[in-house]
Every structure is written in C-alpha cells, then in structure tokens.
Amino acid sequence: MEAFRKSSDRSLTEKLKSLIQEFITHENSRCRLIALKYTEAFLSSDDIDLRWMLLQSCGDNRDEIRNEASRLLDVSLRMRISIEVVITYLWDHLCADIIDPETGKEKTSSSQAFSPLVHQMCSRYLWSLLAHLTGAHVDLKTNEGGDDWMELAPKIAQQIKKLPGSSQERLTRISLQALKDAHEVPLFHIAACFSAACPLSGPSVALANVCIQRARGTTRSDMANVATHLATSLMNKKELESAMPAAFSALEKVVMIVSHFFELRIGLH
C-alpha cells in the first residue's frame, strides 16, 4: 500500500482507483473490505470520488465495513478540501434521493436508492468539515454534548453564511434528509444548526412529522427539545397551531419521566 501511496505514475494510480471502485461494491464482503483498505493510500489527496465511495460504504450491511469506512473518512479530514466542492458533489449524487425529479416532492425512505445510513454519514461528514474550518477537530462519531455543541454551532453557522446561497440550502436539505430514520441527537443538532443558518424556503410537513414523532417517542430531554425546535421551524403557522399541542405533550412527558427518575434516586439515599 505504501508503494501505491508514493507512486507518481498517474496511469497506475487511476487503474488502482478503478479497481477499488469495482471491488468496493463486490458481493463478497471480504473483497469490499480489502478494497476499502486500499483507499487509504489516496486519502492524502483531495479526491472527492474516493470520499464518496467511503460514504456509500458507511451504508454497508456489515459492521466491520461501516466501521472501516468511518475510520477512513476521519483520516480524510486531515486533508483540506473545498467545502463548496463537497456540497455540490454530494448534492449532485443525493438530490434525486431527496426530491423526486418527476414530481418535485420529497421522497420517502422506502423509495430511496441509498441507505439512510449514507444520508446520515453525509450530514456528519459535512458537519466535521465545517468544524475543521473553525479550527475544531471533530470526528464523525463524536456525540456532541450540549455545551460542546452550543459552543461550536455558532462558529459553524458563521462558516455557512460565507457560502453561496445554493450551497447553504443544499446543506440544510442534506442534513434534514438524514433525520428521516435517525434516532441520534447529534444528527438533530446538525440539522438544527444548518437550518438555522439557512432555513428552507418552504414548509416541510413530512420532515416536521418526523421531528414530532421523535419528540413524542423519546425519554431524553435534549432530543425532545431539538426535535420540537426543528418541527416548529419546518411548519407554517396553520400547521404549527395544530401540531404544537402534541409537541408540548411530548416535552411534558419528558419532564415527568426525569422528575420521577430523580424522585427514585432521592428515595434510594
């Protein structure tokens, strides 16, 4: 692998990349894993195609392949790459999975070509790239705590504001799409930050309903808070008036559970 990393033979490099691309989707999981490992030889470049292959591998059905792809994406963060180039590239590959080109409507998870895990990792990857632009070093699996996220989000929002309007909107759409099958708080934090920097031009009932479901179905106050916030930002006034009772009911349930937990804890001592 070291020989390939140091090779200056462009034709050899391109041939190896083609082989990686061929075997990284092979039906044999061992072939996919070996192909993945060879991508590390090229991560010192700003090759976006290789990063896209890694992002797709994050949706693999094998844990070891997903973990290796995630590790390699973390390695790739050491190399500076244009955030605008990445946003444009990812949008070009994901847009047909987000918005139906024929109807112009949002696609459901069941009709998507890519695994929800791919959409989720794309959101995390963009967050990490933006974090690196602020001088912070965030890996893809960091579970941002409340304090860390609150400190980093304004800095990332400032970076987003420097981007062209089209890039800002694409960031928001990619991060919101990642929520459809997500249950991890950091993904909701990412979407909240991106959508605060660049709100969607119109309401999204489907995504708002996802957020309401998460708020109602969680026992975590941080999830309930961020999901409720996102839901309200994704609805128009009429939808908001009809949905808010359910959202507030979810928050009330969380408060009751937390209060009961502390009562039990106090009773034990």
Side-chain angles (χ1 to χ4, degrees):
M1 189 181 296
E2 189 64 24
F4 288 117
R5 183 182 286 114
K6 295 180 178 179
S7 175
S8 58
D9 187 333
R10 188 171 182 81
S11 63
L12 178 62
T13 299
E14 292 304 318
K15 286 178 182 177
L16 182 56
K17 286 182 181 178
S18 296
L19 284 172
I20 291 172
Q21 191 167 14
E22 177 182 347
F23 284 98
I24 209 166
T25 56
H26 197 278
E27 62 180 15
N28 186 299
S29 61
R30 181 170 292 185
C31 289
R32 297 200 301 275
L33 186 59
I34 292 171
L36 258 185
K37 291 185 179 296
Y38 271 94
T39 63
E40 190 165 1
F42 302 104
L43 292 181
S44 58
S45 73
D46 59 358
D47 192 319
I48 186 63
D49 290 324
L50 285 174
R51 286 160 174 79
W52 172 237
M53 282 190 270
L54 293 176
L55 286 164
Q56 290 181 87
S57 293
C58 289
D60 199 277
N61 58 7
R62 299 295 294 262
D63 287 345
E64 65 269 26
I65 292 177
R66 292 197 303 271
N67 291 337
E68 179 65 7
S70 178
R71 182 189 74 81
L72 291 171
L73 280 169
D74 275 327
V75 171
S76 77
L77 291 171
R78 300 170 190 167
M79 177 69 189
R80 183 64 66 91
I81 186 170
S82 167
I83 185 67
E84 286 185 47
V85 169
V86 175
I87 293 169
T88 300
Y89 185 99
L90 291 183
W91 179 254
D92 287 345
H93 287 76
L94 294 174
C95 63
D97 222 33
I98 297 174
I99 301 172
D100 191 313
E102 294 183 0
T103 65
K105 296 181 179 179
E106 295 174 12
K107 276 194 170 183
T108 60
S109 299
S110 60
S111 62
Q112 291 173 348
F114 298 115
S115 161
L117 294 174
V118 174
H119 287 277
Q120 292 168 20
M121 190 54 78
C122 286
S123 180
R124 286 181 178 274
Y125 180 61
L126 289 166
W127 172 267
S128 297
L129 284 176
L130 287 162
H132 277 244
L133 290 178
T134 71
H137 295 285
V138 177
D139 62 50
L140 292 162
K141 283 297 185 181
T142 296
N143 290 316
E144 301 88 352
D147 293 339
D148 293 338
W149 178 77
M150 290 176 67
E151 180 180 346
L152 189 54
K155 297 176 183 177
I156 287 181
Q158 290 176 1
Q159 292 294 328
I160 294 173
K161 289 293 187 182
K162 297 176 184 178
L163 298 171
S166 59
S167 294
Q168 293 183 35
E169 184 172 354
R170 289 168 178 176
L171 267 176
T172 298
R173 287 195 174 276
I174 290 171
S175 68
L176 289 171
Q177 181 67 27
L179 302 183
K180 287 195 172 179
D181 291 276
H183 295 270
E184 298 176 347
V185 176
L187 288 166
F188 282 80
H189 278 163
I190 292 169
C193 176
F194 289 1
S195 61
C198 180
L200 288 183
S201 54
S204 174
V205 178
L207 286 169
N209 286 334
V210 168
C211 293
I212 291 172
Q213 289 170 12
R214 296 297 180 274
R216 297 178 69 179
T218 186
T219 58
R220 294 184 55 172
S221 59
D222 51 355
M223 172 64 94
N225 288 336
V226 69
T228 301
H229 164 74
L230 277 168
T232 58
S233 69
L234 291 168
M235 291 183 285
N236 59 34
K237 185 177 180 180
K238 183 178 180 181
E239 292 159 347
L240 188 58
E241 288 174 351
S242 62
M244 279 309 291
F248 279 123
S249 174
L251 287 175
E252 184 180 2
K253 182 187 72 172
V254 172
V255 171
M256 289 176 62
I257 291 171
V258 172
S259 298
H260 182 58
F261 170 77
F262 280 111
E263 287 174 3
L264 290 174
R265 293 285 293 178
I266 293 169
L268 290 174
H269 295 287

